[in-house]
Amino acid sequence: MKLATLKTGRDGELIVVSRDLGRAVRATEIALTLQQAIENWDELSPQLEALYTRLNEDHVEGAFDLDMASLHSPLPRTYHWADGSAYLNHVQLVRRARNAEMPETFWTDPLMYQGGGDKFLAPTEDIEAISETHGIDFEGEIAVITDDVPMAVTPEQAAEHIKLVMLVNDVSLRGLIPGELAKGFGFFQAKPASAFSPICVTPDELGDAWQDGKVHLPLTVHLNGEKFGEPEAGPDMIFSFPQLVAHAARTRCLGAGAIIGSGTVSNPDADGGPGKPVADGGVGYSCLAEVRMVETILHGEAKTPFMRFGDRVRIEMFDRQGQSLFGAIDQQVVQYDPQ
Amino acid sequence: MKLATLKTGRDGELIVVSRDLGRAVRATEIALTLQQAIENWDELSPQLEALYTRLNEDHVEGAFDLDMASLHSPLPRTYHWADGSAYLNHVQLVRRARNAEMPETFWTDPLMYQGGGDKFLAPTEDIEAISETHGIDFEGEIAVITDDVPMAVTPEQAAEHIKLVMLVNDVSLRGLIPGELAKGFGFFQAKPASAFSPICVTPDELGDAWQDGKVHLPLTVHLNGEKFGEPEAGPDMIFSFPQLVAHAARTRCLGAGAIIGSGTVSNPDADGGPGKPVADGGVGYSCLAEVRMVETILHGEAKTPFMRFGDRVRIEMFDRQGQSLFGAIDQQVVQYDPQ
């Protein structure tokens, strides 16, 4: 089943979307919002699935052509947004950029930070930033939405609570990160509002690509219309989503609608190297920080700038037949105008 | 005006509480929940204020005697919970306990971490913990609730967005903090669900005690029925609430219902020393980590244990006439039972 949220009010309006993303129908007779649906998932998801089946068969009244621009992030806000960093190739690279070693425990104990969930950006909404000197970067990632997760679940138990999958652009202000992390309390101002893909899907929609709690498909990233990366999301994800959810719930329960992110998708080279740009025959990257680090290693300095006002990033994922699964995150960076 | 939330459903039911905390009345004809009220504050707060006036005059139908045990935290969940650490005496002490120096920039750039807002504890709800070895601690603090705050506001502008004040017990698992902070992403498992005071109040209810965006009253903390601390919340708060809100909003807007905490209330001695226990004539502390550090300085080792199953902490604040302002957070630690 595929779900999305029309932009209305703070929480939007839940719609069911056809498998090919072409058509949609309001789900408001079942649940007004995705938050309401996820809070009552066992009761409501069969009704939503039935509507989805009828929509795919073109047997539903009130269906309409889907306009991606009308969509907000599936959850326009959430009570819990936590982002892991499960692709350790990314962690190793960004830490090298900061001259920081990666401890061995990172292979067994997931990194995760708590983010602000009060006002996500829509998938095609501008990224407003105060200054280019903040080092504006995108991070292409996958995320899951859970229902209520009890405290101290095992990864096996956590897997049962993963109800929906989507993409995320975890916008990062690289220039603020070193100073903020040096204070010891983790990211805060360096992680402004994230945006999510217009569509979220149940794991069964991914078919064979959903295995071991990971999505085994490439994540496609374009920067200003040029392909920037197509890393595989499956093989190098060191911690699966069930492991990440269990990590988040170790000392507290999670409320329905919790979003847990994978961290920036990143592949090392086959020989264990840090990965090559697309132009050099590599799979590229899902964030600018990585290419800048590789450039520094190869050429002594970073050539690729961080995002400037007017730059545009597009993040999407296709199945093996080339069909877009989640629609695209497609955002331009603009200068914040306080009016 | 004083507001509270009856325990029903995920968001509870909004009530208006009399100034003396003795009586209450449902506000559901004005707003079903506090979240709804704060999202429409300019429109709804005058109606809530009018109901509050009538309740204090005993001129309202449907009023009932207030049972503190029936109350949840004012916002049982929120989309944004961020906790500052504005009492640098606390920061200096806990860092000394970790053998970490406090950088000079901490006097000018607030510390703040992002917390999970999906499931707060009720004010008298048990604190469920997996293990006493996690170093279970309380942190007595003050917090404010904001309406929608635009990005990049000044502290002067931020002050206008502070609508309500309350207390918080920012439960901390000290045993998990060093390992977690060493990973660089800040607190996560070390900060399980917080609890808030049963009543929240508009700043005008604090009268002269609300000055410069700080609460100039002592915070009273009891541990197992013994007075543990009564530090003054005003003078040693290095960053005011408007400064903390502006810090939180520097690179993103905040959604209505955002909660920003002060950090653990803490006073140094008049001579600049770290503060004495109540038994030694000092004002004591609002967390165990501080007394343990002082014991280590004075006696070479910490004598006071962290909380054990069965231990109880009570956090409240009285005005200069001895009237409880927010009701009491009163919580027992129990062992988590996964059933």
Side-chain angles (χ1 to χ4, degrees), chain A residues 10 79 110 148 183 189 251, chain B residues 10 79 110 148 183 189 251:
Chain A
R10 293 180 186 262
Y79 300 97
D148 289 296
K183 290 162 71 179
Q189 295 173 339
T251 58
Chain B
R10 292 179 187 263
Y79 300 95
D148 289 296
K183 290 163 72 181
Q189 296 174 339
T251 59

Side-chain angles (χ1 to χ4, degrees), chain B residues 198-313:
Chain B
I199 318 291
C200 61
V201 312
T202 46
D204 64 288
E205 286 291 333
L206 301 171
D208 291 346
W210 179 253
Q211 275 180 40
D212 306 323
K214 306 175 187 179
V215 180
H216 292 264
L217 286 170
L219 185 72
T220 305
V221 179
H222 286 82
L223 178 62
N224 294 325
E226 301 273 328
K227 188 178 286 180
F228 181 78
E230 211 163 38
E232 288 286 339
D236 299 312
M237 188 176 179
I238 306 302
F239 303 102
S240 69
F241 279 109
Q243 286 175 304
L244 294 176
V245 171
H247 181 85
R250 183 180 171 216
T251 59
R252 61 178 171 204
C253 58
L254 306 182
I259 303 176
I260 308 291
S262 68
T264 311
V265 178
S266 179
N267 298 148
D269 276 344
D271 63 2
K276 289 190 196 69
V278 170
D280 298 344
V283 295
Y285 312 96
S286 341
C287 74
L288 289 166
E290 285 191 32
V291 70
R292 287 170 55 86
M293 187 58 216
V294 171
E295 288 165 354
T296 304
I297 294 167
L298 296 180
H299 311 296
E301 62 177 347
K303 296 183 303 182
T304 307
F306 285 118
M307 292 185 90
R308 292 177 172 151
F309 299 138
D311 282 352
R312 180 172 282 281
V313 63

Side-chain angles (χ1 to χ4, degrees), chain B residues 49-95:
Chain B
E49 288 278 7
L51 185 58
Y52 178 63
T53 301
R54 285 191 289 131
L55 179 68
N56 284 323
E57 292 166 350
D58 209 14
H59 287 156
V60 59
E61 258 189 75
F64 52 88
D65 289 342
L66 183 62
D67 172 12
M68 289 288 177
S70 69
L71 298 181
H72 209 307
S73 287
L75 287 171
R77 55 180 179 171
T78 184
Y79 300 95
H80 194 110
W81 156 230
D83 199 6
S85 197
Y87 298 88
L88 289 185
N89 191 54
H90 169 79
V91 179
Q92 287 178 309
L93 275 173
V94 295
R95 287 179 79 96

Side-chain angles (χ1 to χ4, degrees), chain A residues 111-324:
Chain A
L111 272 176
M112 187 171 284
Y113 81 88
Q114 193 93 51
D118 46 345
K119 281 204 176 178
F120 292 132
L121 301 178
T124 56
E125 189 171 348
D126 288 344
I127 298 165
E128 294 184 312
I130 297 172
S131 169
E132 290 178 344
T133 66
H134 285 179
I136 305 155
D137 201 356
F138 50 88
E139 292 196 346
E141 311 187 8
I142 301 165
V144 297
I145 303 176
T146 75
D147 65 357
D148 289 296
V149 181
M151 184 162 122
V153 287
T154 63
E156 293 69 30
Q157 293 166 329
E160 300 300 310
H161 296 284
I162 294 173
K163 302 305 183 188
L164 293 161
V165 184
M166 58 190 173
L167 307 180
V168 51
N169 179 13
D170 180 43
V171 180
S172 298
L173 302 176
R174 301 285 177 199
L176 301 182
I177 289 181
E180 205 151 57
L181 295 198
K183 290 162 71 179
F185 273 26
F187 306 109
F188 197 95
Q189 295 173 339
K191 294 286 187 179
S194 299
F196 294 83
S197 55
I199 319 291
C200 61
V201 311
T202 47
D204 63 288
E205 286 290 333
L206 301 171
D208 291 347
W210 178 253
Q211 276 181 40
D212 306 322
K214 306 173 188 179
V215 180
H216 292 264
L217 286 170
L219 185 74
T220 304
V221 179
H222 286 82
L223 178 63
N224 294 326
E226 301 273 327
K227 188 179 284 179
F228 182 78
E230 209 163 40
E232 289 285 340
D236 300 313
M237 189 177 177
I238 306 302
F239 303 102
S240 69
F241 279 111
Q243 287 175 304
L244 294 177
V245 172
H247 181 84
R250 183 177 171 219
T251 58
R252 61 178 172 203
C253 57
L254 305 182
I259 303 176
I260 308 292
S262 68
T264 311
V265 178
S266 179
N267 298 151
D269 276 344
D271 63 2
K276 290 191 195 68
V278 170
D280 298 345
V283 296
Y285 312 95
S286 339
C287 72
L288 290 165
E290 286 191 32
V291 71
R292 288 170 54 88
M293 188 58 216
V294 170
E295 288 166 354
T296 303
I297 294 167
L298 296 180
H299 311 295
E301 62 176 346
K303 297 183 302 182
T304 308
F306 286 117
M307 293 184 89
R308 293 177 172 151
F309 300 138
D311 282 352
R312 180 172 284 280
V313 62
R314 184 178 172 97
I315 299 168
E316 55 198 324
M317 182 174 269
F318 301 94
D319 66 17
R320 300 293 179 191
Q321 288 72 48
Q323 165 69 40
S324 177

